[in-house]
Amino acid sequence: MSLAEFIEVAENEVGEKETGTTNQTKYGKWFGSDGQPWCGMFIAWCANEAGILTTASSANLPYVPKLAGVKAIRDWYANCGRCLAPNMNAASANRLRPGDVVIIDNATSGDTNHAGIVVSVDYNTKKAVVVEGNYSDKVSKVTYTDLVSNNESNVRISYLCSNNVRIS
Protein backbone atom coordinates (compact mmCIF):
# COMPACT_ATOMS: atom_id res chain seq x y z
CA MET A 1 0.00 0.00 0.00
CA SER A 2 2.19 2.83 -1.28
CA LEU A 3 2.77 5.43 -3.95
CA ALA A 4 5.61 3.27 -5.29
CA GLU A 5 3.05 0.52 -5.96
CA PHE A 6 0.67 3.09 -7.52
CA ILE A 7 3.44 4.12 -9.94
CA GLU A 8 4.42 0.52 -10.67
CA VAL A 9 0.83 -0.48 -11.43
CA ALA A 10 0.41 2.51 -13.79
CA GLU A 11 3.67 1.82 -15.62
CA ASN A 12 2.78 -1.86 -16.04
CA GLU A 13 -0.40 -0.83 -17.88
CA VAL A 14 1.39 1.23 -20.58
CA GLY A 15 0.27 -0.06 -23.98
CA GLU A 16 -3.11 -1.39 -22.75
CA LYS A 17 -5.63 -0.47 -25.47
CA GLU A 18 -9.35 0.00 -25.76
CA THR A 19 -11.21 -3.09 -26.88
CA GLY A 20 -14.23 -3.18 -29.16
CA THR A 21 -15.96 0.15 -29.63
CA THR A 22 -14.95 3.57 -28.29
CA ASN A 23 -13.87 3.75 -24.62
CA GLN A 24 -14.32 0.02 -23.92
CA THR A 25 -11.68 -0.93 -21.31
CA LYS A 26 -11.08 -3.17 -18.33
CA TYR A 27 -10.94 0.04 -16.24
CA GLY A 28 -14.44 1.06 -17.29
CA LYS A 29 -15.75 -2.46 -16.63
CA TRP A 30 -14.19 -2.43 -13.15
CA PHE A 31 -15.58 1.06 -12.45
CA GLY A 32 -19.04 0.20 -13.76
CA SER A 33 -19.03 2.82 -16.55
CA ASP A 34 -17.57 1.05 -19.55
CA GLY A 35 -17.85 3.01 -22.78
CA GLN A 36 -17.22 6.38 -21.09
CA PRO A 37 -14.05 8.54 -21.11
CA TRP A 38 -11.72 6.60 -18.86
CA CYS A 39 -8.61 8.55 -17.77
CA GLY A 40 -10.07 9.04 -14.27
CA MET A 41 -11.21 5.42 -14.08
CA PHE A 42 -7.67 4.35 -14.97
CA ILE A 43 -6.28 6.40 -12.07
CA ALA A 44 -8.86 4.93 -9.66
CA TRP A 45 -8.13 1.38 -10.91
CA CYS A 46 -4.39 1.87 -10.35
CA ALA A 47 -5.06 3.23 -6.84
CA ASN A 48 -7.27 0.23 -6.09
CA GLU A 49 -4.57 -2.18 -7.25
CA ALA A 50 -2.03 -0.33 -5.05
CA GLY A 51 -4.35 -0.32 -2.02
CA ILE A 52 -4.73 3.48 -1.81
CA LEU A 53 -8.26 3.95 -3.21
CA THR A 54 -10.95 5.65 -1.14
CA THR A 55 -14.64 6.36 -1.60
CA ALA A 56 -14.66 8.86 1.30
CA SER A 57 -15.57 12.48 0.63
CA SER A 58 -12.09 13.48 1.84
CA ALA A 59 -8.97 11.64 2.92
CA ASN A 60 -5.37 12.10 4.02
CA LEU A 61 -2.25 11.23 2.04
CA PRO A 62 -1.76 9.16 -0.06
CA TYR A 63 -5.38 8.17 -0.75
CA VAL A 64 -6.85 8.61 -4.25
CA PRO A 65 -10.61 9.01 -4.89
CA LYS A 66 -12.80 6.58 -6.79
CA LEU A 67 -14.06 9.18 -9.26
CA ALA A 68 -14.25 9.17 -13.05
CA GLY A 69 -14.77 12.82 -13.98
CA VAL A 70 -11.71 15.07 -14.16
CA LYS A 71 -13.50 18.06 -12.58
CA ALA A 72 -14.76 15.81 -9.77
CA ILE A 73 -11.22 14.54 -9.16
CA ARG A 74 -9.83 18.09 -9.04
CA ASP A 75 -12.64 19.22 -6.70
CA TRP A 76 -12.05 16.24 -4.37
CA TYR A 77 -8.35 17.10 -4.06
CA ALA A 78 -9.23 20.78 -3.46
CA ASN A 79 -11.63 19.73 -0.69
CA CYS A 80 -8.76 17.79 0.92
CA GLY A 81 -6.33 20.74 0.69
CA ARG A 82 -4.28 18.85 -1.87
CA CYS A 83 -5.02 20.70 -5.16
CA LEU A 84 -2.10 22.99 -5.93
CA ALA A 85 -0.71 25.17 -8.71
CA PRO A 86 1.99 22.97 -10.30
CA ASN A 87 5.65 23.93 -10.34
CA MET A 88 8.84 22.36 -11.69
CA ASN A 89 11.16 24.10 -9.21
CA ALA A 90 12.76 21.49 -6.92
CA ALA A 91 12.58 23.90 -3.96
CA SER A 92 8.83 24.54 -4.33
CA ALA A 93 6.27 22.85 -2.07
CA ASN A 94 4.09 22.68 -5.20
CA ARG A 95 6.60 20.71 -7.24
CA LEU A 96 5.44 17.63 -9.10
CA ARG A 97 6.49 14.41 -7.42
CA PRO A 98 6.18 10.78 -8.51
CA GLY A 99 2.81 9.44 -7.43
CA ASP A 100 0.96 12.73 -7.80
CA VAL A 101 -2.10 13.03 -10.02
CA VAL A 102 -2.06 15.89 -12.51
CA ILE A 103 -4.97 17.59 -14.25
CA ILE A 104 -4.25 18.43 -17.88
CA ASP A 105 -5.91 21.04 -20.05
CA ASN A 106 -5.97 22.12 -23.64
CA ALA A 107 -4.85 25.76 -23.81
CA THR A 108 -6.57 26.24 -27.17
CA SER A 109 -10.04 25.21 -25.99
CA GLY A 110 -9.56 25.93 -22.29
CA ASP A 111 -10.91 22.47 -21.45
CA THR A 112 -9.65 20.80 -18.28
CA ASN A 113 -10.62 17.30 -19.27
CA HIS A 114 -7.75 14.89 -18.78
CA ALA A 115 -5.67 13.46 -15.93
CA GLY A 116 -2.65 11.26 -15.39
CA ILE A 117 -0.18 9.87 -12.84
CA VAL A 118 3.30 11.38 -12.48
CA VAL A 119 5.85 8.54 -12.63
CA SER A 120 9.12 10.46 -12.83
CA VAL A 121 10.45 14.01 -12.54
CA ASP A 122 13.80 15.57 -13.45
CA TYR A 123 13.93 19.07 -11.96
CA ASN A 124 17.21 19.91 -13.75
CA THR A 125 15.66 19.47 -17.20
CA LYS A 126 12.14 20.41 -15.96
CA LYS A 127 10.80 17.17 -17.44
CA ALA A 128 8.00 15.08 -15.97
CA VAL A 129 6.76 11.75 -17.30
CA VAL A 130 3.06 11.10 -16.82
CA VAL A 131 1.17 7.83 -17.42
CA GLU A 132 -2.21 8.70 -18.91
CA GLY A 133 -5.18 6.46 -19.59
CA ASN A 134 -7.24 7.25 -22.70
CA TYR A 135 -4.36 8.98 -24.49
CA SER A 136 -4.82 8.01 -28.16
CA ASP A 137 -7.19 5.23 -26.98
CA LYS A 138 -4.60 3.51 -24.81
CA VAL A 139 -2.44 3.89 -21.71
CA SER A 140 0.56 6.00 -22.68
CA LYS A 141 3.63 7.65 -21.18
CA VAL A 142 3.70 11.35 -22.04
CA THR A 143 6.63 13.67 -21.36
CA TYR A 144 6.05 17.27 -20.29
CA THR A 145 8.77 19.93 -20.29
CA ASP A 146 8.11 22.81 -17.92
CA LEU A 147 4.48 21.59 -17.62
CA VAL A 148 3.84 21.58 -21.42
CA SER A 149 3.43 18.38 -23.45
CA ASN A 150 6.32 17.47 -25.73
CA ASN A 151 3.73 16.02 -28.15
CA GLU A 152 1.24 18.92 -28.32
CA SER A 153 2.32 22.46 -27.43
CA ASN A 154 -1.22 23.53 -26.51
CA VAL A 155 -1.57 20.79 -23.85
CA ARG A 156 -0.32 21.56 -20.34
CA ILE A 157 -0.50 20.44 -16.74
CA SER A 158 -2.83 22.90 -15.03
CA TYR A 159 -3.36 21.42 -11.54
CA LEU A 160 -1.28 19.29 -9.21
CA CYS A 161 -3.36 16.88 -7.13
CA SER A 162 -0.80 15.95 -4.54
CA ASN A 163 -0.46 12.51 -3.02
CA ASN A 164 2.78 13.60 -1.34
CA VAL A 165 2.01 16.87 0.47
CA ARG A 166 -1.00 18.65 1.92
CA ILE A 167 -1.14 22.44 2.03
CA SER A 168 -3.64 23.74 4.58
Side-chain angles (χ1 to χ4, degrees):
M1 186 167 107
S2 71
L3 288 178
E5 291 173 76
F6 184 47
I7 294 164
E8 181 179 357
V9 168
E11 289 189 307
N12 286 340
E13 293 299 302
V14 171
E16 183 74 24
K17 297 178 182 177
E18 292 179 1
T19 58
T21 59
T22 304
N23 291 319
Q24 302 283 313
T25 65
K26 67 181 184 182
Y27 317 109
K29 286 181 185 129
W30 167 83
F31 197 90
S33 291
D34 206 17
Q36 300 299 314
W38 52 276
C39 64
M41 291 183 255
F42 168 73
I43 292 167
W45 184 89
C46 291
N48 185 63
E49 295 295 302
I52 60 171
L53 185 72
T54 184
T55 57
S57 60
S58 66
N60 288 326
L61 303 169
Y63 288 97
V64 174
K66 185 177 182 183
L67 296 169
V70 173
K71 183 179 181 319
I73 293 168
R74 185 191 67 208
D75 290 350
W76 184 90
Y77 276 92
N79 184 51
C80 296
R82 294 165 49 195
C83 186
L84 313 169
N87 193 306
M88 288 301 291
N89 182 332
S92 173
N94 292 13
R95 69 187 178 276
L96 272 62
R97 295 176 177 99
D100 287 336
V101 171
V102 289
I103 305 297
I104 300 157
D105 71 12
N106 182 315
T108 303
S109 68
D111 291 339
T112 300
N113 59 7
H114 195 57
I117 302 165
V118 178
V119 296
S120 68
V121 180
D122 182 332
Y123 301 112
N124 292 325
T125 62
K126 298 197 180 300
K127 291 189 185 298
V129 177
V130 179
V131 173
E132 302 175 22
N134 206 12
Y135 184 94
S136 298
D137 300 331
K138 64 185 175 187
V139 178
S140 301
K141 275 189 176 180
V142 181
T143 301
Y144 291 81
T145 301
D146 209 13
L147 305 176
V148 177
S149 172
N150 286 6
N151 300 338
E152 303 170 69
S153 63
N154 62 325
V155 175
R156 60 183 289 278
I157 294 171
S158 55
Y159 295 95
L160 166 62
C161 298
S162 182
N163 291 322
N164 289 284
V165 66
R166 182 172 195 262
I167 307 295
S168 297

